[in-house]
Amino acid sequence: MAKMEVKTSLLDDMIGVGDMVLLEPLTEDSFINNLKKRFDHNEVYTYIGSVVISINPYRSLPIYTPEKVEEYRNRNFYELSPHIFALSDEAYRSLRDQDKDQCILITGESGAGKTEASKLVMSYVAAVCGKGAEVNQVKEQLLQSNPVLEAFGNAKTVRNDNSSRFGKYMDIEFDFKGDPLGGVISNYLLEKSRVVKQPRGERNFHIFYQILSGASEDFLCKLKLERDFSRYNYLGLDSAKVNGVDDAANFRTVRNAMQIVGFMDHETQSVFEVVAAVLKLGNIEFKPESRVNGLDESKIKDKNELKEICELTGIDQSVLERAFSFRTVEAKQEKVSTTLNVAQAYYARDALAKNLYSRLFSWLVTRINESIKAQTKVRKKVMGVLDIYGFEIFEDNSFEQFIINYCNEKLQQIFIELTLKEEQEEYIREGIEWTHIEYFNNAIICDLIENNQTGILAMLDEECLRPGTVTDDTFLEKLNQVCATHQHFESRMSKCSRFLNDTSLPHSCFRIQHYAGKVMYQVEGFVDKNNDLLYRDLSQAMWKASHSLIKALFPEGNPAKINLKRPPTAGSQFKASVATLMKNLQTKNPNYIRCIKPNDKKAAHIFNDALVCHQIRYLGLLENVRVRRAGYAFRQAYEPCLERYKMLCKQTWPHWRGPARAGVEVLFNELEIPEEEFSFGRSKIFIRNPRTLFKLEDLRKQRLEDLATLIEKIYRGWKCRTRFLLMKKSQIVIASWYRRYAQQKKYQKIKSSAIIVQSYIRGWKARKLLRELKHQKRCNEAATIIAAYWHGTQARRELKRLKEEARRKHAVAVIWAYWLGLKVRREYRKFFRANAGRKIYEFTLQRLMQKYFLEMKNKMPSLSPIDKNWPARPYLFLDSTHKELKRIFHLWRCKKYRDQFTDQQKLIYEEKLEASELFKDKKALYPASVGQPFQGAYLEISKNPKYKKLKDAVDEKIIIAEVVNKINRANGKATSRIFLLTKNNVLLADQKSGNIKSEVPLGDVTKVSMSSQNDGFFAVHLKEGSEAAGKGDFLLSSDHLIEMATKLYRTTLSQTKQKLNIEISDEFLVQFRQDKVCVKFIQGSQKNGSIPTCKRKNNRLLEVAVP
């Protein structure tokens, strides 16, 4: 339903029938078909009055969101579609507003969704109640108790992956405002036999698998556990893993939940140590051993498991070992010790494991109760949530199924009683006459089971306490004697069996006709499971443990508190617990959720009619509908009834001014509904037959269509009138705007004409003024020019006078200077003649040097180091200077040239220089390689996805990567290989696959041999005795021989500090495995042109023909 839609009744947009009370006709087939129709449309909830039927969808549905919580909050129960939130809200508001204690009873068979339903109820209550730090802490603790109890009390069965193997009843306590204060949990009959044995296709309790899957290795080591499930006899292996269940994540959730609930770290550790001890108990095995006196006794086969259990629990190994081998019986003042045979020892081991786990579970419940109990002592309101096992009918039904079905019989009894009681109280409250309702009362079945003298449980207890030989067969014989005439009991030996045609009932079984159908029980194990005996020796051994938790679980083991009284049986304990539960439920207002499983495959979208029919029968749902419909099928408060149907009567439509009841009376009289079809209560109208309600719904639907037509007609008229008024208003606006536009246009035309006239007048006046200004300006300019000419004449005259005066002064100065010079020359002439020769020589030499350097500046050669040009020497005396300048200039331009190089270029030139020293004038191929740059990486291994595998295998920097030809010594043919040179190794790899064929450390390379001719063949010689030399030396051919040999030489020198021997000869030896082969190079013409070829001449000679 869309968010903005408003739904005011359960009957709106109903898929099928939302309330089974309104189903017509009421038959088993129509009931199932209605459930199926709603299930197919994802409507998993249906009402029977105030009872909610919940069908497990086996998938997540978007109907539990916070928006849904708000939608159902504080709404009437029948106001919205059926939902578990509606029942939860009704129960919570009744508790909060009317101060009525509530209980929510959730029933159904295993896999029907009872546990999930209880979680939804608790989550809804937690969402709608008050807020605050303390309240939120209480809510969180209540919610987080579920994962802990599920881990220790739930298990995977053939019908349910998370089946509750115990009954749980939680009382949630609230204050007067409706805020949670705390809670109390009660548990019923944990299926502890599952600890030691599970049916095929089922698992042990979740916690065992969660520890082994989710605990860390250190934690498992502390618990003496291993992660392998197959190591433990108590864990069934055929269903150890469950699809969709993450045991490791669930273990983390459980530990976090235990921390939130309030478990201390040492308590959590103690709990897991007990679980580990239970798990390891199953690995203890016994072997028979005969004593001297002829009695059989048992011994433990492998004491290692026993030792680890004792280390975990702090028990003396000898004490526990004796407890498994001997049993002490005390009678008055005497003690008799007897040995246990192998079968009895295994029974004792399993009994200890079951008791240890069962008591641990009870301790967990008690510990959780201590954490979540209300801290205040004020009066509290209580809401109870009962999540208990459903009715169980298996192929093999034993004591556990008998007890569970007994509990369901009691719940059915109280369900019928409380439903009738609630119905009767509503009739009395509304003043409607109550008529007796016929229904099946299952009290006779409850009496058959729980009667203190003749009940099955009483006879089972009597048989367990009877001295002498007691077996399951003697118990069945007693049942046949006492219950032979009971109409709901059948066996092969009872009197009722004479009239039975069913021969499938075995002799070791009996059958009870429950309210849900007949169930056949096998008596095997009834006596042992009811006794639930644990030998006193084992109890005392557990009490002696230094482990505080285990010691607390076995208080009866204290020698100071020995009680010779036989402990109560399992049946009597459960009977007392059920009686207490029934008494508790009868003090509260009940709310029911009936859970149904649609199929046995745990799959979505599958609805098995036969399976659902079976559950409907044993849940008594048709009986519930008939009880609800025995009087009046439908009832509704006057206000919502009048609000829903008021449009059917002219007097009540659209508004009724008087009381709501009077309006309903007027409405029903107007519709002429027969008086026997309805009755008026104090606050509600009661309708007897669903047909009457559906007739009202049909009339309302037709009337709504008529009203919709009327509303549509009025709307269309309003829309047309509105459009006409809008068009009229638009016409007036348009006309006013046009008139305004026309006047503006006329005004603009007049305005532009006036502006043109004004511009002509202003232009004439401006031109006149301009002429006057120009005349005045010319007069002023003429005066200025005359004055300028006069001033210029005066200035030139003054300048001429000043120049004449300056010439005179200069002439005087020149004459005086010449006279002084003459006097100085006459005085110093004698000194000049003595030093004139030397001065002239030095001056001449200086001028020649100056001229030389100036000419050299203009004749300098280029800055290229290979340019050998140099200017000619002008004078002989400058010969040494000329040569020194040439040397200095060459060194300087070489330095300038070198400064331009990068580090990479320097490395390349160093390699080229190294190649020159190694191969110049020795190898004919060298001159062709001088002009070729050394690239190194001819294969882009890092970029080519083809070589990804090779790149991942080589983690060093690759110096050279090239495709070479490897020469086969057998036939001289070549095979392509990838040659890789790294800092430490030489590698050869397959060109196609990239797999490394050979890897040689540089330290194992001793020599490289090649010819002096123009070919690319070379041999890599390996150190004898090295691992790489097993197949012999490598004979290779490459197009870049000079570069490869140079890089190999430099890399070897860098890594080993030793020079690699480069042998250049036209004939050299190559080691192939154990043989030495001579490789000889000859000149010859080739068919392939200029390509050298290699041929095998004999076993000791390979001949390479070079063109």
Side-chain angles (χ1 to χ4, degrees):
M1 186 167 57
K3 188 174 181 180
M4 296 304 296
E5 293 180 6
V6 178
K7 192 167 183 178
T8 59
S9 173
L10 173 70
L11 302 171
D12 288 337
D13 303 324
M14 188 167 57
I15 298 172
V17 178
D19 191 344
M20 288 294 187
V21 175
L22 305 178
L23 185 64
E24 278 292 327
L26 179 61
T27 64
E28 193 173 79
D29 291 339
S30 64
F31 194 98
I32 295 173
N33 289 335
N34 185 56
L35 286 179
K36 184 175 182 180
K37 183 177 181 181
R38 292 178 62 79
F39 179 78
D40 291 340
H41 288 81
N42 295 330
E43 294 287 343
V44 296
Y45 296 110
T46 308
Y47 291 154
I48 300 179
S50 60
V51 177
V52 175
I53 301 175
S54 171
I55 302 180
N56 190 346
Y58 286 117
R59 62 192 178 100
S60 298
L61 294 176
I63 57 174
Y64 307 109
T65 60
E67 292 76 14
K68 276 288 181 184
V69 172
E70 290 301 319
E71 183 180 341
Y72 280 87
R73 187 173 185 174
N74 294 327
R75 302 292 286 270
N76 186 277
F77 185 75
Y78 296 101
E79 190 171 345
L80 299 174
S81 300
H83 201 291
I84 194 171
F85 287 169
L87 180 137
S88 304
D89 187 75
E90 183 76 14
Y92 176 71
R93 286 192 291 113
S94 298
L95 176 137
R96 183 191 62 192
D97 303 336
Q98 302 176 20
D99 203 18
K100 292 182 180 179
D101 288 348
Q102 304 289 317
C103 66
I104 298 177
L105 280 69
I106 307 171
T107 57
E109 74 171 46
S110 178
K114 301 186 298 299
T115 302
E116 289 300 319
S118 66
K119 291 180 186 177
L120 290 171
V121 170
M122 293 177 65
S123 64
Y124 179 85
V125 173
V128 300
C129 63
K131 310 294 181 184
E134 294 184 4
V135 173
N136 288 338
Q137 182 182 0
V138 172
K139 290 193 291 187
E140 188 68 16
Q141 287 185 335
L142 291 173
L143 293 175
Q144 290 300 323
S145 64
N146 279 324
V148 179
L149 294 179
E150 283 186 18
F152 287 86
N154 288 23
K156 185 237 183 236
T157 65
V158 292
R159 297 187 176 185
N160 185 3
D161 289 344
N162 189 31
S163 176
S164 298
R165 307 318 298 162
F166 71 104
K168 182 180 74 172
Y169 177 74
M170 174 183 281
D171 270 334
I172 307 173
E173 300 173 340
F174 298 84
D175 62 9
F176 69 96
K177 302 190 299 296
D179 294 341
L181 297 173
V184 178
I185 300 174
S186 302
N187 66 300
Y188 301 96
L189 192 66
L190 177 72
E191 188 190 9
K192 56 186 177 182
S193 61
R194 181 172 292 272
V195 173
V196 299
K197 184 179 181 181
Q198 306 91 41
R200 181 174 295 277
E202 299 190 3
R203 294 206 313 176
N204 211 321
F205 291 102
H206 292 327
I207 189 63
F208 296 115
Y209 305 93
Q210 291 173 1
I211 288 180
L212 297 181
S213 299
S216 64
E217 294 294 340
D218 292 341
F219 192 66
L220 288 178
C221 185
K222 291 180 181 178
L223 297 180
K224 316 286 186 188
L225 296 177
E226 298 178 20
R227 205 173 291 279
D228 185 10
F229 294 158
S230 62
R231 290 276 295 110
Y232 304 101
N233 298 331
Y234 280 166
L235 299 184
L237 298 180
D238 54 340
S239 299
K241 294 291 184 181
V242 181
N243 292 333
V245 176
D246 188 347
D247 288 318
N250 291 339
F251 178 70
R252 293 190 291 271
T253 302
V254 170
R255 295 202 69 170
N256 183 57
M258 292 178 76
Q259 187 177 4
I260 293 174
V261 170
F263 282 81
M264 306 299 289
D265 290 342
H266 70 275
E267 291 178 323
T268 305
Q269 179 70 22
S270 298
V271 169
F272 289 133
E273 286 173 351
V274 175
V275 173
V278 171
L279 201 54
K280 296 185 76 62
L281 275 173
N283 291 351
I284 296 179
E285 296 182 348
F286 301 93
K287 60 182 178 181
E289 195 170 286
S290 298
R291 301 182 70 180
V292 179
N293 56 8
L295 296 176
D296 290 336
E297 66 176 9
S298 61
K299 292 292 183 181
I300 297 174
K301 289 183 180 180
D302 182 7
K303 296 184 180 181
N304 185 50
E305 293 285 354
L306 181 68
K307 178 183 177 183
E308 292 184 349
I309 293 173
C310 292
E311 290 175 357
L312 276 174
T313 57
I315 302 174
D316 188 353
Q317 183 174 343
S318 60
V319 172
L320 187 57
E321 184 177 1
R322 176 175 175 78
F324 280 133
S325 303
F326 294 89
R327 179 187 178 189
T328 303
V329 180
E330 297 185 18
K332 296 184 180 179
Q333 301 299 323
E334 296 181 1
K335 289 185 180 181
V336 179
S337 180
T338 60
T339 59
L340 300 179
N341 58 31
V342 172
Q344 291 171 333
Y346 277 117
Y347 174 84
R349 180 201 69 179
D350 291 344
L352 176 61
K354 291 188 289 185
N355 272 272
L356 191 57
Y357 192 83
S358 174
R359 297 183 189 205
L360 172 65
F361 187 79
S362 299
W363 180 87
L364 280 172
V365 173
T366 305
R367 180 64 184 81
I368 292 173
N369 285 337
E370 291 177 3
S371 296
I372 65 175
K373 67 180 179 181
Q375 302 299 321
T376 59
K377 296 184 179 181
V378 298
R379 183 180 175 275
K380 310 174 189 70
K381 305 175 184 180
V382 178
M383 176 186 290
V385 179
L386 178 64
D387 172 13
I388 203 163
Y389 12 63
F391 200 87
E392 292 187 347
I393 305 177
F394 298 145
E395 291 184 5
D396 297 327
N397 301 288
S398 186
F399 179 74
E400 291 84 3
Q401 283 68 45
F402 176 74
I403 289 296
I404 288 171
N405 294 342
Y406 161 61
C407 179
N408 278 271
E409 285 285 356
K410 296 294 289 182
L411 288 174
Q412 176 68 10
Q413 184 181 24
I414 194 173
F415 170 68
I416 295 296
E417 289 178 0
L418 293 178
T419 301
L420 288 174
K421 181 181 177 182
E422 181 185 7
E423 194 80 0
Q424 185 175 7
E425 286 178 353
E426 185 173 18
Y427 276 49
I428 295 172
R429 187 168 59 249
E430 293 294 329
I432 305 296
E433 182 180 356
W434 171 259
T435 56
H436 180 69
I437 298 174
E438 293 293 335
Y439 66 95
F440 171 69
N441 190 346
N442 67 335
I444 186 172
I445 303 175
C446 296
D447 185 69
L448 169 65
I449 298 173
E450 67 181 3
N451 189 283
N452 290 331
Q453 280 76 34
T454 60
I456 295 176
L457 286 176
M459 286 184 285
L460 181 58
D461 287 349
E462 183 179 334
E463 193 68 11
C464 290
L465 297 173
R466 180 174 64 83
T469 304
V470 177
T471 65
D472 296 320
D473 292 333
T474 61
F475 165 62
L476 182 58
E477 290 176 5
K478 190 160 191 172
L479 285 183
N480 291 332
Q481 294 173 8
V482 178
C483 304
T485 59
H486 200 286
Q487 57 183 340
H488 290 275
F489 177 85
E490 300 171 1
S491 75
R492 292 292 290 267
M493 302 302 294
S494 66
K495 293 181 180 179
C496 294
S497 65
R498 298 173 188 172
F499 310 104
L500 289 175
N501 294 322
D502 183 9
T503 59
S504 63
L505 184 63
H507 289 279
S508 62
C509 299
F510 65 92
R511 183 185 290 140
I512 294 179
Q513 175 69 46
H514 289 282
Y515 77 93
K518 293 182 178 181
V519 182
M520 182 176 68
Y521 299 100
Q522 294 183 351
V523 295
E524 182 182 354
F526 262 63
V527 173
D528 285 341
K529 292 176 182 178
N530 188 50
N531 269 327
D532 195 21
L533 286 178
L534 179 67
Y535 297 149
R536 184 173 287 110
D537 301 76
L538 289 170
S539 298
Q540 292 176 351
M542 292 296 106
W543 187 84
K544 293 176 181 178
S546 60
H547 196 284
S548 58
L549 177 55
I550 293 180
K551 188 169 187 175
L553 295 180
F554 293 87
E556 75 276 12
N558 188 351
K561 299 180 180 179
I562 293 179
N563 186 3
L564 298 179
K565 185 179 179 181
R566 189 183 184 92
T569 61
S572 60
Q573 291 181 49
F574 187 74
K575 177 182 173 183
S577 300
V578 169
T580 304
L581 176 63
M582 297 302 120
K583 185 177 179 181
N584 191 357
L585 295 179
Q586 286 176 341
T587 62
K588 296 178 174 61
N589 184 48
N591 302 271
Y592 300 97
I593 301 173
R594 300 295 211 178
C595 297
I596 291 179
K597 180 169 63 173
N599 60 78
D600 277 329
K601 299 179 180 179
K602 296 180 277 191
H605 307 293
I606 298 178
F607 190 93
N608 188 323
D609 293 9
L611 179 63
V612 173
C613 177
H614 172 69
Q615 295 173 81
I616 288 172
R617 287 175 182 171
Y618 80 65
L619 286 173
L621 298 183
L622 282 173
E623 187 90 357
N624 189 9
V625 177
R626 292 190 182 99
V627 168
R628 183 80 179 185
R629 289 177 56 166
Y632 293 90
F634 182 77
R635 69 286 316 268
Q636 191 176 26
Y638 290 120
E639 289 80 2
C641 181
L642 180 62
E643 184 66 26
R644 185 167 183 82
Y645 302 112
K646 64 182 180 180
M647 71 286 297
L648 301 180
C649 176
K650 293 182 179 179
Q651 300 179 45
T652 57
W653 178 258
H655 300 291
W656 173 256
R657 304 297 180 186
R661 172 170 177 168
V664 174
E665 291 177 355
V666 170
L667 175 64
F668 274 58
N669 291 333
E670 179 74 17
L671 296 176
E672 298 181 353
I673 297 174
E675 293 185 0
E676 63 272 11
E677 286 296 321
F678 65 90
S679 181
F680 294 104
R682 292 189 175 91
S683 63
K684 296 180 181 179
I685 176 74
F686 287 74
I687 298 176
R688 186 178 300 278
N689 201 307
R691 287 192 296 271
T692 304
L693 179 65
F694 293 141
K695 178 182 177 182
L696 287 174
E697 285 296 312
D698 292 340
L699 291 173
R700 178 177 180 270
K701 183 177 180 181
Q702 182 62 42
R703 180 58 178 160
L704 286 176
E705 292 178 358
D706 296 340
L707 289 174
T709 304
L710 177 62
I711 292 170
E712 186 178 6
K713 179 182 72 174
I714 294 173
Y715 171 74
R716 286 177 177 172
W718 169 84
K719 190 174 182 180
C720 289
R721 284 193 300 275
T722 304
R723 187 169 182 272
F724 167 75
L725 292 174
L726 181 61
M727 292 177 67
K728 182 179 179 182
K729 183 178 179 182
S730 302
Q731 186 273 332
I732 293 172
V733 171
I734 293 170
S736 64
W737 276 87
Y738 176 75
R739 286 195 293 270
R740 175 185 174 187
Y741 167 75
Q743 291 299 322
Q744 285 178 342
K745 193 172 182 182
K746 183 178 180 181
Y747 167 75
Q748 291 293 339
K749 190 174 182 180
I750 295 172
K751 183 179 179 181
S752 62
S753 301
I755 290 172
I756 290 172
V757 173
Q758 287 177 353
S759 66
Y760 274 103
I761 294 173
R762 287 174 183 153
W764 173 77
K765 291 178 70 175
R767 286 191 295 275
K768 182 180 178 182
L769 179 61
L770 179 62
R771 284 194 298 270
E772 292 175 354
L773 291 174
K774 282 184 177 180
H775 177 71
Q776 185 179 356
K777 181 180 179 182
R778 279 197 297 271
C779 293
N780 293 335
E781 286 179 350
T784 303
I785 290 171
I786 293 169
Y789 272 102
W790 166 248
H791 291 147
T793 302
Q794 290 292 100
R796 284 191 294 275
R797 287 177 182 175
E798 182 65 21
L799 178 63
K800 186 177 181 182
R801 186 185 65 80
L802 292 174
K803 283 183 177 181
E804 185 65 26
E805 186 178 351
R807 270 198 304 270
R808 291 177 186 154
K809 289 181 179 181
H810 179 68
V812 173
V814 170
I815 294 169
W816 178 249
Y818 271 99
W819 166 246
L820 290 178
L822 180 61
K823 287 176 69 176
V824 170
R825 283 192 297 274
R826 287 177 179 174
E827 186 176 354
Y828 289 98
R829 185 173 295 164
K830 54 184 176 181
F831 300 105
F832 176 76
R833 289 175 181 170
N835 297 316
R838 187 173 58 85
K839 291 286 186 182
I840 292 171
Y841 172 77
E842 290 177 357
F843 175 76
T844 304
L845 192 61
Q846 185 178 2
R847 291 297 296 166
L848 288 175
M849 291 289 289
Q850 185 178 8
K851 181 181 178 183
Y852 168 73
F853 284 117
L854 289 176
E855 289 177 352
M856 285 294 292
K857 175 183 176 183
N858 298 325
K859 295 179 181 180
M860 280 292 180
S862 67
L863 295 179
S864 173
I866 61 175
D867 187 0
K868 297 184 178 181
N869 294 326
W870 186 250
R873 180 193 62 199
Y875 306 105
L876 183 60
F877 75 91
L878 292 176
D879 184 59
S880 59
T881 303
H882 192 70
K883 291 179 180 178
E884 185 65 21
L885 279 177
K886 180 180 179 180
R887 188 183 69 81
I888 293 172
F889 177 77
H890 181 69
L891 292 176
W892 174 77
R893 67 182 178 182
C894 287
K895 181 181 183 302
K896 293 288 286 185
Y897 186 76
R898 287 197 304 274
D899 290 345
Q900 298 174 8
F901 292 165
T902 62
D903 292 340
Q904 184 67 23
Q905 289 174 326
K906 289 179 181 179
L907 181 61
I908 292 173
Y909 281 107
E910 286 176 2
E911 290 178 346
K912 285 288 185 180
L913 183 61
E914 194 78 57
S916 174
E917 293 175 357
L918 292 173
F919 302 109
K920 187 176 181 181
D921 300 329
K922 299 177 184 178
K923 178 72 173 172
L925 189 65
Y926 171 73
S929 70
V930 173
Q932 297 178 356
F934 288 176
Q935 297 181 14
Y938 292 95
L939 299 178
E940 295 182 343
I941 292 179
S942 60
K943 297 181 181 179
N944 195 334
K946 177 181 177 181
Y947 302 122
K948 183 178 185 302
K949 183 177 181 182
L950 181 59
K951 178 190 172 186
D952 295 339
V954 179
D955 56 357
E956 296 180 288
K957 180 182 178 182
I958 297 175
I959 298 172
I960 188 168
E962 163 69 330
V963 175
V964 300
N965 292 322
K966 182 175 180 291
I967 307 303
N968 190 332
R969 66 177 288 257
N971 51 22
K973 292 184 179 180
T975 306
S976 294
R977 290 284 186 268
I978 297 175
F979 182 90
L980 297 178
L981 174 62
T982 66
K983 289 185 177 181
N984 297 306
N985 299 290
V986 174
L987 298 97
L988 288 179
D990 186 83
Q991 186 182 8
K992 294 182 179 179
S993 64
N995 293 329
I996 296 176
K997 295 293 186 180
S998 301
E999 183 173 358
V1000 181
L1002 288 180
D1004 291 346
V1005 177
T1006 59
K1007 182 172 65 173
V1008 175
S1009 297
M1010 63 187 73
S1011 74
S1012 62
Q1013 302 184 39
N1014 193 20
D1015 63 274
F1017 284 83
F1018 67 101
V1020 180
H1021 300 274
L1022 306 180
K1023 184 188 296 182
E1024 292 185 7
S1026 63
E1027 182 180 353
K1031 294 182 180 180
D1033 302 335
F1034 298 125
L1035 182 58
L1036 308 171
S1037 173
S1038 171
D1039 294 337
H1040 302 92
L1041 170 60
I1042 301 299
E1043 179 181 357
M1044 294 179 68
T1046 303
K1047 289 184 179 289
L1048 180 59
Y1049 177 84
R1050 288 174 58 84
T1051 306
T1052 304
L1053 180 62
S1054 174
Q1055 294 299 317
T1056 64
K1057 308 303 180 183
Q1058 295 179 359
K1059 292 184 179 181
L1060 180 64
N1061 186 13
I1062 305 292
E1063 180 184 355
I1064 300 176
S1065 174
D1066 290 342
E1067 190 174 320
F1068 52 82
L1069 294 176
V1070 179
Q1071 181 79 32
F1072 284 130
R1073 294 190 184 276
Q1074 303 301 325
D1075 302 330
K1076 287 190 177 182
V1077 177
C1078 177
V1079 181
K1080 185 176 182 181
F1081 293 83
I1082 62 173
Q1083 296 287 336
S1085 59
Q1086 302 298 322
K1087 296 179 181 180
N1088 296 332
S1090 61
I1091 302 175
T1093 58
C1094 182
K1095 290 184 179 180
R1096 174 73 175 270
K1097 291 298 182 179
N1098 52 52
N1099 289 338
R1100 301 294 181 180
L1101 178 63
L1102 279 175
E1103 194 173 84
V1104 180
V1106 182

